Amino acid sequence: MRMRGEIDPQIAAQEYEDQLNAIATGRGEPIYQHDLILLGLGDDGHTASLFPGTAALEDTTRRVVANFVPKLNAWRLTFTFPLINHARHILFLVGASKNPQLIKRVLAGDPQFPAARVNPVAGEVTWMIGE
């Protein structure tokens, strides 16, 4: 299943969350648990479409949201931290040319960078940095 980015962002986010919730309910789980989520790292420390200063960063109840990103002047569909942090495994794929100080600060947990807030409750995080 995929997020339908071609429709109204609010509707698309709710539709996708509803699908995840239905699967979780069918499995007897309180929240859908991905086996693997692949993430990148933006130059501003964003990951998924969780950009600094956006509303989705503070959402603790929804699993998928439409997030307005002012610097892009666009709506983006994104998983929220409650869903990301429930995954069994998270893999960050980061190019070797990424700012090493940014990576260091994210890995140290600097909360100004959204990627630093990826911290699975029962899963693992792996970083692959290179070409």
Side-chain angles (χ1 to χ4, degrees), residues 78-93:
T78 188
F79 291 179
T80 60
F81 288 119
L83 182 61
I84 292 170
N85 286 331
H86 205 71
R88 289 180 179 88
H89 200 108
I90 296 165
L91 174 60
F92 276 92
L93 298 173

Side-chain angles (χ1 to χ4, degrees), residues 8-11 13-14 56 62 64-68 75-78:
D8 176 272
Q10 304 294 337
I11 294 170
Q14 187 64 57
R62 296 284 311 275
V64 181
V65 297
N67 192 30
F68 186 74
W75 287 93
R76 302 284 292 265
L77 297 174
T78 188

Side-chain angles (χ1 to χ4, degrees), residues 17-122:
E17 182 173 308
D18 290 346
Q19 291 173 337
L20 293 180
N21 288 340
I23 294 169
T25 299
R27 294 178 179 172
E29 300 171 350
I31 182 173
Y32 183 83
Q33 187 174 33
H34 286 88
D35 290 321
L36 174 66
I37 296 178
L38 299 175
L39 294 173
L41 177 64
D43 291 337
D44 57 1
H46 85 271
T47 193
S49 281
L50 297 166
F51 287 81
T54 59
L57 294 175
E58 305 311 320
D59 199 312
T60 60
T61 58
R62 296 284 311 275
R63 308 218 197 319
V64 181
V65 297
N67 192 30
F68 186 74
V69 182
K71 77 179 205 173
L72 302 176
N73 193 31
W75 287 93
R76 302 284 292 265
L77 297 174
T78 188
F79 291 179
T80 60
F81 288 119
L83 182 61
I84 292 170
N85 286 331
H86 205 71
R88 289 180 179 88
H89 200 108
I90 296 165
L91 174 60
F92 276 92
L93 298 173
V94 180
S97 63
K98 191 65 63 180
N99 179 335
Q101 286 304 312
L102 170 65
I103 295 170
K104 183 178 178 179
R105 289 177 68 187
V106 168
L107 290 173
D110 187 332
Q112 88 174 50
F113 302 110
R117 294 176 56 184
V118 172
N119 185 21
V121 293

